[in-house]
Amino acid sequence: MTALSIVVPCFNEEACLPELHQRLSAAARIAVGDDHEIVLINDGSRDGSWAAMEQLAASDPHVVAINLSRNHGHQLALTAGLDLCCGDAILIIDADLQDPPELLSPMLKTMREQDADVVYGVRKSRAGETAFKRATAHGFYRLLSRATEVDIPLDAGDFRLMSRRALDALLAMPEQARFIRGMVAWIGFRQVPFAYDRQERFAGETKYPLSKMVRFALDALTGFSSAPLKLASHAGLVLSFGSVLLVLYIAYAWMSGQSIQGWTSLMLIVVVLGAIQMFVLALMGEYIGRLYNEAKQRPLYIVQEIAGGDRIARSDARLGYLAEATANSDRPGGKGRRPTA
């Protein structure tokens, strides 16, 4: 067990890694001295990120590089790092350096002074982001706050410092579609905010295009709220009431001898009702799909290899599977080893 683990999911972050390592190492030494580890998770990068991580692990004994078998996505890559880290306190940070590593010491001080299990970063400003992204993020957090039964902090990402007991509680939750900031809020304990100004990305491009942002938002809503299903039931109730009014109107027009002009209005009603029915079915399918994925009980991630650190301490993965990339096994299975020819 080390005093501090810094967990960093990485996807195509080759340009950021040297600066990231330098700043994280400096911040960790100021905070806890040499009793720390930096856990870098390569989430199926297509650039030279893994080679750079191996070099860092070879040159710095504090660096542990974990190579996943493919791209699992940010939240599952982060889960792998959290599952395999050994720290008594755990800092979660992205590789793009938008969240300053230098805030580690103030966050540790806040955790000790307020006897907290979680210190989560709250963004006062978001430098380098478009007005569209700032507006959609603002709206998303407030919609999520209203829709969920869990008190999820506003304007807070995954940047946070956690205690080991908070992390162990988080790792007891094995669901596939993970919204980690919501899961951390759900576990409770004492959680305090830490306001900061988010900086511009150091290098490269964002790894969250609009399609991934929409998927992430949908995972958050369906994972922590039944509000979409309630919305569907409310829409059905309103339409049922509207259909009663329509029947009464048709009956009144027929009894009064009025001719009912109907084709256009009838087609409009059919199209509207059909669209709402498809929307409701899509919502139900989203929840059923989540149940289907959970029922398969697959490991959340697969580790191809680990470079640096104490591999024995990381031999047991609670939520994933470790496939050691070695070539000296006499058995073609069982331990996840690659057999010899």
Side-chain angles (χ1 to χ4, degrees):
M1 182 74 71
T2 59
L4 173 69
S5 291
I6 303 175
V7 178
V8 193
C10 305
F11 177 66
N12 292 344
E13 299 289 1
E14 180 183 8
C16 293
L17 285 171
E19 181 72 11
L20 173 74
H21 173 248
Q22 179 183 349
R23 291 175 62 181
L24 284 178
S25 297
R29 288 193 180 94
I30 293 173
V32 297
D34 287 332
D35 194 11
H36 69 273
E37 64 174 2
I38 300 173
V39 182
L40 305 174
I41 306 97
N42 181 41
D43 187 25
S45 298
R46 293 186 288 269
D47 61 0
S49 293
W50 175 243
M53 290 181 192
E54 286 186 303
Q55 291 178 0
L56 291 174
S59 62
D60 185 353
H62 298 289
V63 173
V64 179
I66 297 172
N67 191 26
L68 300 185
S69 62
R70 61 172 178 84
N71 178 252
H72 287 69
H74 179 273
Q75 296 292 284
L76 291 181
L78 177 54
T79 298
L82 294 174
D83 198 15
L84 298 174
C85 71
C86 300
D88 192 43
I90 301 92
L91 177 71
I92 299 173
I93 190 170
D94 286 337
D96 54 17
L97 292 171
Q98 287 186 279
D99 304 318
E102 293 76 16
L103 297 178
L104 172 58
S105 291
M107 293 174 78
L108 270 172
K109 182 180 179 182
T110 300
M111 174 177 278
R112 291 163 182 160
E113 289 179 347
Q114 300 199 30
D115 194 25
D117 281 280
V118 178
V119 177
Y120 58 88
V122 177
R123 301 158 181 170
K124 294 190 296 183
S125 63
R126 305 166 69 103
E129 295 184 355
T130 64
F132 173 76
K133 186 168 184 178
R134 290 195 301 269
T136 52
H138 179 87
F140 164 70
Y141 283 114
R142 279 141 189 86
L143 172 63
L144 187 63
S145 177
R146 289 181 175 272
T148 60
E149 294 84 4
V150 179
D151 186 16
I152 299 176
L154 298 177
D155 303 316
D158 290 321
F159 180 49
R160 62 194 61 220
L161 183 68
M162 302 174 60
S163 68
R164 170 52 62 173
R165 74 168 182 171
L167 177 60
D168 286 342
L170 175 66
L171 295 178
M173 303 164 67
E175 56 232 54
Q176 295 273 341
R178 302 178 79 77
F179 180 59
I180 289 178
R181 65 197 69 170
M183 296 167 69
V184 173
W186 184 90
I187 64 176
F189 300 121
R190 180 165 175 76
Q191 306 194 17
V192 297
F194 185 91
Y196 74 104
D197 295 306
R198 202 168 198 229
Q199 301 176 355
E200 293 187 38
R201 165 178 273 275
F202 177 76
E205 299 178 352
T206 178
K207 307 308 185 293
Y208 260 92
L210 181 60
S211 58
K212 286 189 176 182
M213 290 173 60
V214 172
R215 179 71 252 179
F216 186 61
L218 193 57
D219 281 342
L221 282 172
T222 54
F224 284 86
S225 175
S226 59
L229 290 178
K230 294 177 183 177
L231 176 65
S233 63
H234 293 164
L237 183 62
V238 171
L239 287 173
S240 298
F241 180 71
S243 64
V244 172
L245 294 179
L246 183 61
V247 168
L248 292 176
Y249 168 73
I250 293 173
Y252 169 78
W254 179 76
M255 288 186 293
S256 61
Q258 299 177 9
S259 61
I260 303 176
Q261 302 296 327
W263 191 88
T264 302
S265 58
L266 178 61
M267 289 299 99
L268 177 62
I269 292 172
V270 169
V271 169
V272 170
L273 289 177
I276 292 176
Q277 287 174 345
M278 294 303 295
F279 174 70
V280 172
L281 288 174
L283 287 178
M284 295 175 63
E286 183 67 28
Y287 280 91
I288 292 172
R290 291 175 67 94
L291 291 173
Y292 171 68
N293 287 332
E294 296 295 337
K296 289 187 286 189
Q297 295 184 340
R298 291 177 179 172
L300 300 189
Y301 62 87
I302 296 177
V303 173
Q304 179 173 320
E305 55 189 314
I306 298 176
D310 186 354
R311 301 182 190 182
I312 296 176
R314 298 169 220 280
S315 59
D316 294 323
R318 282 181 274 185
L319 299 177
Y321 177 74
L322 304 184
E324 297 179 24
T326 59
N328 56 2
S329 173
D330 56 357
R331 295 176 56 203
K335 295 296 184 181
R337 299 179 182 273
R338 187 170 58 203
T340 57

